[in-house]
Amino acid sequence: MAPIKNGRLLFNEVPTGYPIPGRTTVYDGSGTIDVESEPLNGSILVKTLVLSVDPYLRGKMRAPEAKSYNPPFALGEPLYSHGVGKVVRSEHANFKPGDYVYGSLLYAEYFVPKDVSYLQVLVRPEPSLPWSVYIGAAGMPGQTAYYGWKAYSKAKAGETVFVSTAAGPVGSMVVQLAKQDGCKVIASAGSDEKVKFAKEIGADVAFNYKTTNTEEVLAKEGPIDIYWDNVGGSTLDAVLGNVAPFARIIICGYISQYNGEEPYGIKNMRQVLTNRVAINGVLVFDHHARYEEEFYKVVPKKLATGEFKYSEDITRGLDKGGEAILEVQKGTNTAKKVIVVAND
Amino acid sequence: MAPIKNGRLLFNEVPTGYPIPGRTTVYDGSGTIDVESEPLNGSILVKTLVLSVDPYLRGKMRAPEAKSYNPPFALGEPLYSHGVGKVVRSEHANFKPGDYVYGSLLYAEYFVPKDVSYLQVLVRPEPSLPWSVYIGAAGMPGQTAYYGWKAYSKAKAGETVFVSTAAGPVGSMVVQLAKQDGCKVIASAGSDEKVKFAKEIGADVAFNYKTTNTEEVLAKEGPIDIYWDNVGGSTLDAVLGNVAPFARIIICGYISQYNGEEPYGIKNMRQVLTNRVAINGVLVFDHHARYEEEFYKVVPKKLATGEFKYSEDITRGLDKGGEAILEVQKGTNTAKKVIVVAND
């Protein structure tokens, strides 16, 4: 068979602020691949179907000197993130052609992973849910919410919960977990459309933080027993100024400072003492061992029946990947951002 | 018997900065009491022996409007803090003359408590230790350290611990608990004398934060697995900039902001996410039910045998109480500050 096009989205330059499409990332449509003869060297050939675009990707767009849990992207190489792909050919015992794989996928239409340990065969517990959901509400973002909520919320019915970025794939899952636990939920988001979605999934109070003062809402609707933080900075400070005794704060994201912003100085830290607050940082991969099995038993079913809701904002084609990434950093996406690279 | 002098230290004025002796607090030596005929109305007559002067007292010197876990002192009334006294007379079944009582004592040579529920009969598990130790290393400050360490440190041998105000009654107990658990201990204090004591009790690295840059020490000796915070502000920020993955930060005091200082803005909070840090605020009274019995079994014995060390800075006489309080706020005391009001 003749070689076919194999477009890729490459990391081209370390950004200082927002990642600029065509500069920070560059689409290379010039490559080709012969899917029948591409050497596998004991690995597999993956056709990429869907890719998850998440806030944390900005942390990987850095010079390799800066230390983090999160390894940097390599300049000149394709980006990668959670995704779902289809096995086209295999020389590895764990995978056979036609298998679907979930894990770390390259931003390439086709690729041969150097290390297949980042991939697992994905058998959808609920086949009615599209693959994109398995990188969203039923994938890493949903897991992040579920694991963090189970590990650190200590939620009791009647408590007041505040969720920032409440229309995103993590925040919207937290809103629904909190409602399921009988809590009052205050939700913030960055557009009226997102606020509408937060209300649809059960938030008791939802507001657009760009047009409504967060501190005033918290002073009126608080004090806050549980805060799910995806943004950090002044929002976190406002919550600390309105915490209830023995509040729990779960820091899961800090997008207010991902794009070169001057760090905001948190002034209300003394409240951690006065109100005996527990603050914990949560990253999904620390908690798979404890909660992954439970997650796949519980969450996809609730999504399939509609008990839990999700919302997606789909970009088609890797050539638009840079724009998709920028939208998520700026919050101009309307819901969970997915790049659909190919149809199944 | 004729009335005798009954000096008292009164809360006179809400301070804006440091509490000024003679202004914030005023000694009133004009009162008298007839110890034989003072009406008890079902209560007891207490002769005050020792009083504990602690940083948290500043938080009680405020206008009653400001909310806190910590009720404010009443203007024109005596201060109160943890102390030990002797029962002179009793009309209450729980107390008999000659008993020693521990709990919340008025800054008065003699007093009749309105509510004896704040007092308990104190039988020293180690009679060789003076009463003053039972309001220090074997009392509330020692308990604070012990409870917080047991509840939140999750210490493992070989981990690196940083303790601020390491020569104080809380910090010095934490240093010794950390060494007992096989940790490397970095200790900071505000004078060379205090640094010397921190070394004597086992700190591996001890420095005077007024003459040595905290951040440089932490960058060299860290990263920090456990931070015991008694000060907050820039020290806490420096620790956040030098935390190890899964670090635990225990906030037990925030003296950098007790005296009207402009709140310092913590810039390194994003590290809570990056390094999955757990931060907890600890106040002693939340943890008595879980740890008090264990504390009295373990700690006084170690203090009596010299396995745990303590150090005291004694002020004699309530008339010097205002100065003692100011010294603790400024850190010019040399060790655990105790007011000896009367000899046993």
Side-chain angles (χ1 to χ4, degrees):
Chain A
M1 201 172 119
I4 57 172
K5 182 173 77 76
N6 187 18
R8 304 179 305 157
L9 189 69
L10 308 176
F11 183 43
N12 184 62
E13 186 185 292
V14 174
T16 52
Y18 283 106
I20 309 300
R23 187 167 160 179
T24 308
T25 57
V26 167
Y27 177 70
D28 173 16
S30 67
T32 60
I33 186 168
D34 184 329
V35 297
E36 283 175 6
S37 64
E38 176 75 14
L40 303 187
N41 300 313
S43 182
I44 61 180
L45 176 66
V46 178
K47 179 185 180 188
T48 302
L49 300 179
V50 290
L51 292 166
S52 175
V53 181
D54 299 292
Y56 80 89
L57 294 180
R58 179 61 181 81
K60 300 175 82 68
M61 297 178 175
R62 65 175 201 280
E65 299 82 62
K67 279 186 290 184
S68 171
Y69 71 92
N70 195 358
F73 290 130
L75 286 166
E77 297 292 324
L79 310 181
Y80 51 88
S81 72
H82 284 80
V84 173
K86 191 168 186 175
V87 177
V88 180
R89 288 166 46 219
S90 174
E91 291 179 358
H92 193 288
N94 291 3
F95 305 91
K96 61 180 192 302
D99 278 351
Y100 293 90
V101 289
Y102 170 72
S104 186
L105 264 65
L106 290 196
Y107 278 49
E109 290 178 281
Y110 294 90
F111 68 100
V112 176
K114 284 193 190 113
D115 182 354
V116 294
S117 72
Y118 291 105
L119 295 173
Q120 59 190 84
V121 173
L122 177 62
V123 179
R124 286 181 287 190
E126 297 290 336
S128 66
L129 294 173
W131 293 117
S132 58
V133 179
Y134 287 91
I135 56 171
M140 185 277 287
Q143 288 167 341
T144 302
Y146 191 87
Y147 300 175
W149 186 258
K150 295 287 170 186
Y152 299 120
S153 77
K154 297 182 182 170
K156 291 188 286 289
E159 288 193 315
T160 298
V161 178
F162 176 44
V163 184
S164 57
T165 73
V170 177
S172 62
M173 182 61 73
V174 173
V175 169
Q176 296 176 89
L177 291 166
K179 287 309 299 177
Q180 181 183 261
D181 283 349
C183 298
K184 168 182 166 178
V185 175
I186 307 168
S188 70
S191 75
D192 292 347
E193 185 179 355
K194 290 177 178 174
V195 167
K196 190 165 163 280
F197 180 64
K199 282 184 183 155
E200 281 167 18
I201 59 174
D204 300 279
V205 178
F207 66 99
N208 181 340
Y209 72 88
K210 291 180 180 169
T211 54
T212 303
N213 184 293
T214 299
E215 229 172 316
E216 282 171 19
V217 176
L218 299 183
K220 180 169 172 249
E221 302 289 345
I224 305 303
D225 295 296
I226 304 171
Y227 172 44
W228 187 282
D229 189 11
N230 286 314
V231 300
S234 62
T235 311
L236 174 56
D237 213 7
V239 172
L240 283 166
N242 289 282
V243 280
F246 305 104
R248 287 80 72 198
I249 294 178
I250 302 161
I251 301 185
C252 169
Y254 218 99
I255 198 163
S256 66
Q257 277 171 222
Y258 285 177
N259 289 284
E261 296 88 348
E262 195 64 30
Y264 173 95
I266 304 281
K267 296 191 181 62
N268 289 320
M269 274 300 281
R270 190 178 164 188
Q271 291 300 322
V272 173
L273 174 62
T274 309
N275 284 302
R276 291 86 97 199
V277 178
I279 304 181
N280 282 278
V282 63
L283 292 177
V284 65
F285 48 74
D286 297 331
H287 302 275
H288 280 308
R290 186 162 167 205
Y291 294 114
E292 188 176 31
E293 198 182 327
E294 177 185 326
F295 173 85
Y296 280 120
K297 263 189 208 153
V298 171
V299 173
K301 184 174 293 174
K302 286 181 191 284
L303 291 164
T305 62
E307 186 185 339
F308 279 178
K309 294 176 176 57
Y310 65 92
S311 179
E312 295 178 337
D313 176 353
I314 288 172
T315 292
R316 292 191 188 273
L318 270 180
D319 54 323
K320 300 284 190 304
E323 283 78 4
I325 289 166
L326 181 59
E327 285 171 43
V328 168
Q329 293 301 320
K330 290 199 158 176
T332 54
N333 57 322
T334 59
K336 164 65 191 160
K337 175 59 79 177
V338 173
I339 305 175
V340 173
V341 179
N343 294 322
D344 187 10
Chain B
M1 203 172 117
I4 57 172
K5 181 174 78 73
N6 187 19
R8 304 178 305 159
L9 190 69
L10 308 177
F11 182 44
N12 184 62
E13 187 185 292
V14 174
T16 51
Y18 283 106
I20 310 300
R23 189 168 158 178
T24 308
T25 57
V26 167
Y27 178 71
D28 171 17
S30 67
T32 61
I33 187 170
D34 186 328
V35 295
E36 284 174 4
S37 64
E38 178 74 15
L40 301 188
N41 301 313
S43 181
I44 61 180
L45 177 65
V46 178
K47 180 186 180 186
T48 303
L49 299 179
V50 290
L51 293 166
S52 175
V53 181
D54 300 291
Y56 80 89
L57 294 180
R58 179 61 181 81
K60 300 175 82 68
M61 297 177 175
R62 67 177 200 279
E65 298 82 60
K67 280 186 290 184
S68 170
Y69 69 93
N70 195 357
F73 290 131
L75 285 167
E77 297 292 323
L79 309 181
Y80 51 88
S81 72
H82 284 81
V84 173
K86 191 169 185 174
V87 178
V88 181
R89 289 166 45 220
S90 173
E91 292 179 358
H92 193 287
N94 292 3
F95 306 91
K96 60 180 194 300
D99 278 350
Y100 294 90
V101 289
Y102 170 72
S104 184
L105 265 64
L106 290 195
Y107 279 50
E109 290 178 283
Y110 294 89
F111 69 100
V112 176
K114 283 190 191 117
D115 181 355
V116 295
S117 72
Y118 293 104
L119 296 173
Q120 60 191 85
V121 173
L122 177 64
V123 180
R124 286 180 286 192
E126 297 290 336
S128 67
L129 294 173
W131 293 115
S132 58
V133 179
Y134 287 91
I135 56 170
M140 185 278 287
Q143 288 167 340
T144 302
Y146 191 87
Y147 300 175
W149 186 258
K150 294 287 170 184
Y152 300 120
S153 77
K154 297 180 182 170
K156 292 187 286 290
E159 288 193 314
T160 298
V161 178
F162 175 43
V163 184
S164 58
T165 72
V170 177
S172 62
M173 182 61 73
V174 173
V175 169
Q176 295 176 89
L177 291 166
K179 287 309 298 177
Q180 183 183 260
D181 283 349
C183 299
K184 168 182 166 178
V185 176
I186 307 168
S188 71
S191 75
D192 293 346
E193 186 178 356
K194 289 176 178 174
V195 168
K196 188 164 166 278
F197 179 63
K199 283 184 182 153
E200 281 167 17
I201 59 175
D204 300 279
V205 178
F207 66 99
N208 181 340
Y209 73 87
K210 291 180 179 168
T211 54
T212 303
N213 185 294
T214 298
E215 231 173 314
E216 283 171 18
V217 176
L218 299 183
K220 179 168 173 247
E221 302 287 347
I224 304 302
D225 295 296
I226 304 170
Y227 172 44
W228 187 280
D229 188 11
N230 286 315
V231 301
S234 62
T235 310
L236 175 55
D237 214 7
V239 172
L240 283 167
N242 290 280
V243 280
F246 305 102
R248 287 79 70 197
I249 294 180
I250 302 161
I251 301 186
C252 170
Y254 219 98
I255 199 162
S256 66
Q257 278 171 220
Y258 285 176
N259 289 285
E261 296 88 348
E262 196 65 30
Y264 172 94
I266 304 282
K267 297 192 181 59
N268 289 320
M269 275 301 281
R270 190 178 163 187
Q271 291 299 320
V272 172
L273 174 62
T274 309
N275 284 301
R276 292 85 95 198
V277 178
I279 304 181
N280 282 279
V282 62
L283 292 176
V284 65
F285 47 77
D286 298 329
H287 302 274
H288 280 309
R290 186 160 166 206
Y291 294 114
E292 187 176 31
E293 198 182 328
E294 177 185 326
F295 174 85
Y296 280 120
K297 263 189 206 150
V298 170
V299 173
K301 184 175 291 173
K302 286 182 190 284
L303 291 164
T305 62
E307 186 184 338
F308 280 178
K309 293 176 177 56
Y310 65 92
S311 178
E312 295 177 339
D313 175 353
I314 288 171
T315 292
R316 291 190 188 274
L318 270 180
D319 55 322
K320 299 285 191 303
E323 283 79 3
I325 288 166
L326 181 59
E327 285 171 41
V328 168
Q329 293 301 320
K330 291 199 157 177
T332 54
N333 57 320
T334 58
K336 164 65 191 158
K337 175 59 78 175
V338 172
I339 304 174
V340 173
V341 179
N343 295 321
D344 186 10

